[in-house]
């Protein structure tokens, strides 16, 4: 009976909105598991292209699925990022650049999720707060949506991720001079705890110019170990609009490749066999 009432009410609102010129549009749909069963109490948040929560009147736009996994909300026309945050047992999902210009039906399937948690310390066994976790699918490279994935004041973290083989990157804060740490091909099929120690690092910074002496924006740095050829994680390693970059890496011997964007019509540059044991420009 509740499902019938929902469908009738939704149909009435859809019809009414098409009769009123310039009326806001309606987004509706169903959130299900892989077997098609509706998921109750999935929190759906709306973000603008800058990542800010969208306002519906005097409050932020927010809606939860009902007992059958159905949802609907009245929105202003626009392009949104949709964040689906389910209860325990399912992995969150984010869909970017959803164009909602007319009444729209969007059905979503969420994967089974497990709790991935642990603690982050430095080499002196001190907890490290504010470490940002990135979790990627090892096979496809897909970055999973993991809200509230920074470590707390005690270095603890706890997130929901899909079951499977993942690469996990612990992204350091530059002000701490701790390097990022990546753990590859971790098979996570149940609730899992991993405690890590992030390595001490040194700052490598500088500025990139073209042959005319003009700074080059969006140059991507790749840093690999000379001995093994292993690429190390360097989050936030693109040059800014002044051509400036700053990364933190563990001391060691490295090759560094500067990859300019295709639009610059500049070739890549490799600096080979650099010994970097101190902060270096």
């Amino acid at each position: 009976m509740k499902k019938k009432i929902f469908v009738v009410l939704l149909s009435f609102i859809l019809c009414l909105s098409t009769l009123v010129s310039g009326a806001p549009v309606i987004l509706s749909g169903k959130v299900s598991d892989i077997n098609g069963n509706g998921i109750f109490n999935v929190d759906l948040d709306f973000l603008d292209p800058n990542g800010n929560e969208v306002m519906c009147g005097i409050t932020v736009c927010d809606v939860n699925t009902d007992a059958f996994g159905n949802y609907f909300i009245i929105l202003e026309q626009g392009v949104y990022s949709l964040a689906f945050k389910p209860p325990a047992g399912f992995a969150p999902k984010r869909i970017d650049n959803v164009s909602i210009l007319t009444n729209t039906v969007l059905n979503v399937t969420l994967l089974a999720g497990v709790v991935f948690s642990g603690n982050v310390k430095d080499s002196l066994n001190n907890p490290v707060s504010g470490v940002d976790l990135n979790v990627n699918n090892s096979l496809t490279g897909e970055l999973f949506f993991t809200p509230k994935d920074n470590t707390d004041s005690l270095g603890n973290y706890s997130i929901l991720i899909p079951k499977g083989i993942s690469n996990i990157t612990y992204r350091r804060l530059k002000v701490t001079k701790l390097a990022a740490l990546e753990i590859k091909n971790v098979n996570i099929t149940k609730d899992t705890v991993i405690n890590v120690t992030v390595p001490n690092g040194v700052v490598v910074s500088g500025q990139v110019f073209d042959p005319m002496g003009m700074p080059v924006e969006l140059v991507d740095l790749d840093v690999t170990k000379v001995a093994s050829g292993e690429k190390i994680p360097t989050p936030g390693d693109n040059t800014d609009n002044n051509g400036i970059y700053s990364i933190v890496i563990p001391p060691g011997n490295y090759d560094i490749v500067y990859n300019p964007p295709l639009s610059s019509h500049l070739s890549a540059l490799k600096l080979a066999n650099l010994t970097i044991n101190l902060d270096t420009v």
Side-chain angles (χ1 to χ4, degrees), residues 90-272:
F90 297 94
K93 184 172 185 175
R94 174 169 166 163
I95 305 175
D96 291 318
N97 300 317
V98 180
S99 181
I100 305 174
L101 303 178
T102 61
N103 294 330
T104 301
V105 176
L106 178 65
N107 298 319
V108 173
T109 300
L110 299 183
L111 300 177
V114 292
V115 177
F116 177 59
S117 59
N119 184 264
V120 180
K121 288 184 169 63
D122 64 17
S123 60
L124 298 177
N125 208 37
N126 297 312
V128 183
S129 63
V131 174
D132 176 55
L133 272 72
N134 273 10
V135 183
N136 296 75
N137 184 303
S138 293
L139 298 177
T140 66
E142 175 191 359
L143 177 64
F144 296 130
F145 176 51
T146 54
K148 298 181 180 180
D149 59 4
N150 285 13
T151 57
D152 63 17
S153 59
L154 299 177
N156 297 316
Y157 65 90
S158 181
I159 57 178
L160 283 165
I161 62 173
K163 295 179 180 180
I165 301 175
S166 299
N167 295 331
I168 302 152
T169 303
Y170 298 82
R171 298 160 53 97
R172 79 292 175 270
L173 298 174
K174 288 182 181 178
V175 293
T176 63
K177 291 186 69 172
L178 295 172
L181 173 68
E182 184 178 36
I183 305 175
K184 294 184 177 181
N185 300 320
V186 182
N187 190 13
I188 301 177
T189 58
K190 60 182 180 179
D191 292 352
T192 301
V193 177
I194 295 182
N195 301 318
V196 301
T197 299
V198 290
N200 293 324
V202 293
V203 177
V204 178
S205 59
Q207 194 169 13
V208 180
F209 300 95
D210 68 14
M212 301 300 293
M214 299 299 295
V216 185
E217 184 181 8
L218 297 178
V219 176
D220 177 61
L221 275 70
D222 288 336
V223 181
T224 56
K225 295 180 180 179
V226 172
S228 64
E230 176 191 359
K231 182 179 177 181
I232 67 169
T234 52
D237 60 6
N238 285 13
T239 58
D240 64 15
N241 57 359
N242 292 312
I244 295 172
Y245 68 91
S246 179
I247 59 176
V248 180
I249 60 177
N253 296 327
Y254 298 102
D255 295 330
I256 302 179
V257 178
Y258 297 80
N259 299 291
L262 290 176
S263 60
S264 70
H265 300 287
L266 298 171
S267 60
L269 173 69
K270 179 178 180 179
L271 303 182

